[in-house]
Amino acid sequence: MIENQPVIIGVDAGTSVIKAVAFSISGQQLAVSSVRNSYALSADGAATQSMAQTWEDCAKAISGLGQQIDRLAPHVVAVSVTGQGDGTWLVGAGNEPVSDAWLWLDGRAAPTVDMLKSRDCDAERFAATGTGLNTCQQGSQMAHMLAHHPELLAGAEAALHCKDWIYLNLTGVRATDPSEASFTFGDFRTRAYSDMVIDALGLDANRALLPDIVDGTEVMHPLTATAAKSTGLLPGTPVSLGYVDMVMTALGAGVHTGEDGVACSAIGSTGVHLRSVAAEDVHLNDARTGYVICLPVAGRVTQVQTNMAATLNVDWALDMAADILEQFGEVPCRSDIIAQIDSWLSETAAGGLIFHPYISEAGERGPFLDANARASLIGLQSGHRFAHVIRAVVEGLAMAARDCYAAMGSLPAELRVTGGAARSAAMRGVLAGALGSSTCVSLREETGAAGAAMMAAVGIGAYPDMEACIEDWVRPYLGAPEAPDPELIAVYDSLFETYRAAREALPPIWSGLSEHRSAHVRRSV
C-alpha cells in the first residue's frame, strides 16, 4: 500500500464466506480478509443463519484488514456492503434479531408460492417486478410466515436482507436498497415500493416492516462509535449500502461497459446469468421466471436468470470419484482432482450425453420454477467412462446457461465470466460453444466487493458517476475475448434442442419421484 493512500473497503457477505476487501481509490485491490460463515439445514426445508454471528463475523473480517495494512483506519474514506440476496432477516425492538434469518436456500415457503402464483393478480405483480415468485424471496417467505409463523412478524419492526442487517449494525440505520426493494415489493421502472405488489403478496397489513429505500451512490451514513470499536475503523467513516450481491458481482465483472450484446455469468456454486438493458427493453418471459434487478446506473437494469446449482454439480461428480478412491485407501487431494477436469474434457467428444444440472434439493428456479426438479444423465452406453460423465456435467452447466439467456431474449455476443468455472479454459470453451459467443474473463479476484466499493467511490464524489468509475475499476481488468470453436457451436446447437425437449418432458417424472420419496419416508417412520 502506498503511504497515505485513500482506501475504500468493500464487504461481500456471502452464504459461506464473508469477505472484506481493501481497494485504492482507483480500484486496485490491496488486501482481503475473510471469515467462514455457517448456516443450518433442517429436514423440513429450513435454511437458517444466526444474525448475531453474521454481524460478529463481518466485524471480524473488516478488522482483519487492519492486520494486513498498517494504520488502516485513518486511510479509510468509505465502506460499502453487499451480501447474499433474498431471504428474510427480521429485527425487533432495540434492533435485536427476532429469530435466525431465513436464507435464500430456505424451501419452506413452497406451498405459499404455489398459492400466490395461482392468483389472477400474479401476472400484474410479475409485470411490475419483472421477477418470478420463488421460495427464496422475502415476499414469499413473509407471506408464509404470516400464514404459519405469525409470531415472527408480530415481533418484528423491520424486514431486512443480509446486507441491510450489516448496514444496520454499521450505521444504526434501517434501510434497504433499490435493487432488492423493487424486485421483491416494487417496480423496477420506478425503483420504489408498489402498493399493488404488496397487496398481491397479501402483506398490506405488514407494509410498515419494509424499510426506507437508500441508494448508496447518493446517500451514505456515518459509522457508529459501537461499530467502529468492533471493526477497528474510525467513527464517522461514510458507509454506503450496496445493491444485492448478484448485480454487484456483475458490475465488478463487466456486465455494463456501454457495448451492446454483452452479458455476464457468475458460475460458482450457483449459476447467475445477467445482461444489462435499458428498463424499457426488458423481455419478460411467459413462464414468469427470473429477476429484473436495478443497476446503480440511471435507467439501466439487469435481466437475470439463476440456476440453483452450477459447480455444485461438478462437486457432486468429483465427490463420487473421491469416495471410491478412499474405499481403496487413497486420500485424493481435491485440487489435484479439479486440475484433471481440463484433461478429461480434452479426452472426450462433445455432445455425447445430456446432463440436466438440477442437483439442488431445492429444485430449480431458472429459467423455470419447479421445486421437484432433479438432475439426470441421459444417453449412457457401455463405453462411457467417468471422463464422459464429467464432460456431460460441464456441458450441462453450459446448456443451462443457454436455457437462461434464451428466456431473456437473444443470446449474448460476448460473455464475461467470473466464478470458479472462469479459471478453466476448457470450461470456458464449452460455454462459448454453447452460447455461440466469445468469452472474456474478469481478472478481478473479488468482483462482488469491488462492485460495492464502486458505489462508495461514486458516493464520496471520487467519480462523477458510475460510468466514469467503470472506466477505472472494470475495463482495465477485462481479459482478451476468446472466440468460440465453430465446430462446437454446431454440436451444441443440435444438443440444446434435445436438452430442452427432455427438460420440458421431465416434470411428471420429477413429480412422481417426489411423491414416491414422500410415501417412502412416511412408511419408514
Side-chain angles (χ1 to χ4, degrees):
M1 173 180 169
I2 301 172
E3 190 173 356
N4 296 323
Q5 176 175 311
V7 173
I8 297 176
I9 295 176
V11 176
D12 186 357
T15 310
S16 302
V17 181
I18 298 178
K19 296 179 180 178
V21 187
F23 297 94
S24 72
I25 203 78
S26 59
Q28 178 188 1
Q29 184 172 308
L30 305 174
V32 180
S33 172
S34 63
V35 176
R36 293 292 302 178
N37 213 348
S38 62
Y39 55 89
L41 300 176
S42 301
D44 63 353
T48 58
Q49 185 168 308
S50 167
M51 293 174 63
Q53 187 64 51
T54 300
W55 162 240
E56 183 179 324
D57 290 342
C58 178
K60 187 183 300 182
I62 295 173
S63 62
L65 290 174
Q67 300 171 21
Q68 301 180 49
I69 298 176
D70 187 43
R71 298 187 67 251
L72 172 67
H75 295 109
V76 176
V77 295
V79 177
S80 186
V81 58
T82 185
Q84 55 175 293
D86 290 317
T88 306
W89 299 59
L90 298 176
V91 298
N95 289 330
E96 291 296 319
V98 171
S99 68
D100 286 348
W102 288 32
L103 299 189
W104 62 274
L105 290 163
D106 199 295
R108 283 175 286 179
T112 299
V113 168
D114 290 342
M115 179 272 293
L116 292 172
K117 285 171 65 69
S118 69
R119 293 179 172 179
D120 291 340
C121 58
D122 187 62
E124 188 179 2
R125 182 210 58 79
F126 178 68
T129 62
T131 299
L133 277 180
N134 60 59
T135 59
C136 304
Q137 292 162 8
Q138 188 177 97
S140 302
Q141 292 180 358
M142 287 178 64
H144 190 74
M145 289 175 182
L146 186 62
H148 300 279
H149 305 278
E151 73 282 358
L152 294 178
L153 297 186
E157 294 183 359
L160 306 178
H161 297 90
C162 178
K163 60 176 172 40
D164 308 336
W165 164 245
I166 293 172
Y167 191 75
L168 172 61
N169 281 275
L170 290 169
T171 66
V173 176
R174 295 175 179 174
T176 194
D177 78 290
S179 67
E180 294 209 269
S182 59
F183 78 65
T184 306
F185 296 111
D187 191 315
F188 65 83
R189 301 162 189 84
T190 63
R191 304 190 177 210
Y193 293 130
S194 162
D195 292 340
M196 178 274 298
V197 170
I198 295 168
D199 180 62
L201 295 168
L203 295 171
D204 275 351
N206 306 97
R207 178 166 183 155
L209 297 179
L210 305 185
D212 291 342
I213 300 172
V214 170
D215 189 311
T217 62
E218 300 173 359
V219 176
M220 304 176 77
H221 292 101
L223 190 73
T224 66
T226 301
K229 184 176 180 180
S230 298
T231 60
L233 301 180
L234 298 181
T237 301
V239 184
S240 169
L241 178 57
Y243 285 20
V244 66
D245 62 350
M246 285 191 287
V247 290
M248 293 292 89
T249 296
L251 182 68
V255 74
H256 177 72
T257 51
E259 302 92 340
D260 292 332
V262 169
C264 177
S265 285
I267 302 181
S269 297
T270 61
V272 183
H273 312 288
L274 313 93
R275 63 187 190 115
S276 167
V277 297
E280 60 269 22
D281 294 332
V282 165
H283 172 84
L284 299 178
N285 63 5
D286 292 338
R288 298 182 197 165
T289 63
Y291 293 72
V292 175
I293 309 180
C294 301
L295 276 167
V297 179
R300 303 294 297 192
V301 299
T302 52
Q303 274 207 258
V304 187
Q305 288 282 348
T306 61
N307 306 124
M308 287 296 290
T311 57
L312 289 176
N313 292 273
V314 179
D315 292 342
W316 161 79
L318 298 183
D319 285 344
M320 285 201 305
D323 289 345
I324 293 171
L325 289 173
E326 287 174 2
Q327 292 294 315
F328 292 91
E330 300 287 339
V331 183
C333 175
R334 185 56 176 269
S335 60
D336 290 343
I337 299 178
I338 292 174
Q340 186 66 24
I341 291 177
D342 280 17
S343 177
W344 283 324
L345 292 180
S346 68
E347 296 168 3
T348 51
L353 295 168
I354 289 176
F355 179 78
H356 292 97
Y358 314 139
I359 206 76
S360 169
E361 292 182 6
E364 189 51 273
R365 61 180 177 179
F368 64 95
L369 181 64
D370 193 329
N372 294 324
R374 293 297 183 267
S376 58
L377 187 61
I378 300 174
L380 282 170
Q381 299 175 174
S382 61
H384 286 132
R385 295 294 182 264
F386 186 71
H388 297 96
V389 173
I390 288 293
R391 178 170 202 107
V393 171
V394 171
E395 290 178 340
L397 303 189
M399 292 292 107
R402 175 165 175 163
D403 211 5
C404 284
Y405 281 114
M408 292 187 269
S410 59
L411 299 180
E414 178 175 303
L415 183 70
R416 291 167 180 176
V417 190
T418 186
R423 293 190 290 271
S424 167
M427 293 176 77
R428 295 197 303 272
V430 171
L431 265 174
L435 294 171
S437 65
S438 61
T439 58
C440 173
V441 177
S442 169
L443 304 179
R444 271 212 178 277
E445 297 176 17
E446 304 295 344
T447 52
M454 290 168 67
M455 290 191 61
V458 175
I460 62 174
Y463 293 91
D465 53 36
M466 188 57 71
E467 305 283 4
C469 187
I470 286 168
E471 290 301 312
D472 281 354
W473 282 67
V474 176
R475 198 176 289 280
Y477 295 89
L478 295 175
E482 302 169 359
D485 181 338
E487 293 184 7
L488 281 182
I489 293 176
V491 171
Y492 291 146
D493 278 349
S494 173
L495 184 68
F496 179 70
E497 295 307 315
T498 306
Y499 170 94
R500 186 159 59 181
R503 187 260 283 173
E504 292 172 347
L506 280 168
I509 307 301
W510 295 331
S511 178
L513 281 171
S514 177
E515 292 174 5
H516 165 76
R517 286 191 296 267
S518 297
H520 177 73
V521 169
R522 284 198 297 270
R523 286 197 302 269
S524 65
V525 172

